[in-house]
Amino acid sequence: MSAVYQRVALIGLGLIAGSMAHAMRARGLAGKIVGHARSAETRAIARELFCDEVCETAAEAVRDADLVVLAVPVGAMEEIAAEIAPHLKPGAVVTDVGSVKGAVVEAVAPHMPDGVHFIPGHPLAGTEYSGPRSGFATLFQNRWWLLTPLPGTDVTEIARLRGLLEAIGANVDEMDVAHHDLVLAVVSHVPHAIAYTMVGVADHMRRVSQSEVIKYSASGFRDFTRIAASDPVMWRDVFLTNKEAVLDILGRFAEELFVLQRAIRMEDGDHLHAYFTRTRAIRRGIIEAGQDTAAPDFGRGAEPPRGA
Ligand code: NAP
């Protein structure tokens, strides 16, 4: 394939940026990939593994770039946007991969100069691993990548970015910013909160029952621990910046939990059976949509686990 963008600048060189770089390199989609991360160690690893060039500052990295990808934790977006703004090339496209969109738009959009196209985005793909060694070229294969363009954004530039993302394997959809944050609270953010909590409960139990929680950990708990091993900085920022939607969905979750608790207490088997039949159908729908495998080990043996 020919290059979609001549010069791509990746700001933040962890799981998502690394996976993008591997995928773009594999298909020749970028003329040159330039990167920046905070630490010299990360920059050196990225230079060795997937960047043609690395820079000590984000400002230097974005110079002359046709596409700039902000791939840092959500809480770091504003500082980076302010730093790069005066150095962006007129006509450049700036996108981000942050897991929350409202907060990123508020943090980044005010800094973007006229003539620069800011197109917020979010790949629904990830693993519990982070850092410059964790990326791989197939991370986005058949995963959704949501774009949340602001009204009035140049449609040609949206189409060009979409073309790049599709070429690295993603299915692209467009969504309104607030809707994105609500949907993600349901499908990703609150499930992570629940996993963190369940592992926390087991941790307290462990003090009571010594190592039994780990020794006998069955698949349900094991899957929670995988999710709860996700990057603490990233998830701290997700909860702090998608606070309203997360609290809304957590409130609904608590109500459902009380209903379930009551059904168990009242030995209402019909309720439990009907409820679990409905939830089982949702799982089937996810498999049919190609978003997970039907393998009983959750596909662990087949490919690296994916999250969002
Ligand atoms: P990651 O592997 O932890 O990498 C983060 C990178 O950002 C590191 O290279 C880090 O540099 C750099 N960084 C952090 N603060 C910085 C700053 N102030 N200035 C410059 N660089 C800075 O993270 P990731 O998983 O790729 O996540 C990146 C973004 O993607 C986040 O916004 C996250 O919400 C989003 N996202 C993640 C997933 C997922 O499952 N992981 C999925 C979808 C979207 P150092 O290594 O030098 O510290």
Side-chain angles (χ1 to χ4, degrees):
M1 281 184 210
S2 59
V4 182
Y5 294 96
Q6 278 316 313
R7 194 176 173 94
V8 175
L10 302 173
I11 310 300
L13 299 169
L15 171 71
I16 301 294
S19 297
M20 286 183 79
H22 285 298
M24 288 189 288
R25 277 189 155 186
R27 297 167 180 84
L29 298 165
K32 189 165 196 183
I33 300 176
V34 185
H36 163 76
R38 256 182 325 194
S39 68
E41 189 190 351
T42 296
R43 293 196 296 269
I45 297 168
R47 174 72 190 86
E48 180 196 325
L49 297 181
F50 56 78
C51 278
D52 299 307
E53 192 183 319
V54 289
C55 302
E56 280 185 27
T57 66
E60 270 175 82
V62 303
R63 214 161 277 151
D64 284 329
D66 304 291
L67 173 68
V68 175
V69 182
L70 308 179
V72 294
V74 172
M77 294 279 182
E78 174 145 35
E79 181 196 328
I80 296 285
E83 181 190 338
I84 63 173
H87 307 279
L88 292 166
K89 174 169 145 176
V93 169
V94 175
T95 190
D96 77 288
V97 296
S99 305
V100 176
K101 297 276 52 89
V104 170
V105 168
E106 260 177 45
V108 174
H111 294 283
M112 292 297 103
D114 287 344
V116 165
H117 311 279
F118 173 47
I119 309 174
H122 176 204
L124 305 193
T127 76
E128 69 274 32
Y129 299 106
S130 51
R133 292 192 192 279
S134 60
F136 54 99
T138 56
L139 177 67
F140 309 112
Q141 208 66 48
N142 201 29
R143 300 288 128 180
W144 286 105
W145 197 305
L146 301 177
L147 294 178
T148 61
L150 305 174
T153 307
D154 187 329
V155 289
T156 327
E157 293 303 338
I158 299 175
R160 184 145 78 118
L161 179 60
R162 196 183 243 274
L164 173 78
L165 303 176
E166 285 171 351
I168 62 175
N171 304 318
V172 182
D173 241 348
E174 285 178 36
M175 210 180 252
D176 163 77
V177 170
H179 189 62
H180 167 280
D181 287 355
L182 184 65
V183 170
L184 264 291
V186 177
V187 301
S188 171
H189 304 167
V190 170
H192 273 78
I194 294 165
Y196 281 123
T197 315
M198 191 57 226
V199 174
V201 168
D203 185 43
H204 287 126
M205 291 277 301
R206 190 161 57 99
R207 295 195 184 121
V208 180
S209 61
Q210 303 296 334
S211 64
E212 284 180 332
V213 169
I214 290 177
K215 187 169 165 192
Y216 301 124
S217 91
S219 64
F221 181 67
R222 251 189 354 231
D223 289 324
F224 276 136
T225 61
R226 180 181 70 70
I227 296 171
S230 300
D231 188 68
V233 173
M234 168 184 159
W235 283 97
R236 176 200 64 194
D237 288 1
V238 166
F239 291 121
L240 292 180
T241 56
N242 199 20
K243 185 170 131 185
E244 270 160 38
V246 166
L247 290 178
D248 175 11
I249 303 303
L250 266 180
R252 290 164 195 255
F253 174 79
E255 284 170 24
E256 293 274 320
L257 192 60
F258 277 128
V259 174
L260 186 74
Q261 222 172 332
R262 184 177 157 77
I264 295 170
R265 191 184 312 286
M266 306 306 282
E267 299 179 5
D268 186 349
D270 290 346
H271 175 92
L272 296 178
H273 188 267
Y275 197 70
F276 301 155
T277 304
R278 278 209 322 272
T279 54
R280 185 180 230 191
I282 292 176
R283 170 75 190 160
R284 265 194 225 112
I286 290 173
I287 293 166
E288 276 160 28
Q291 295 299 303
D292 204 348
T293 85
D297 70 348
F298 289 76
R300 250 186 230 102
E303 55 182 25
R306 297 153 189 269

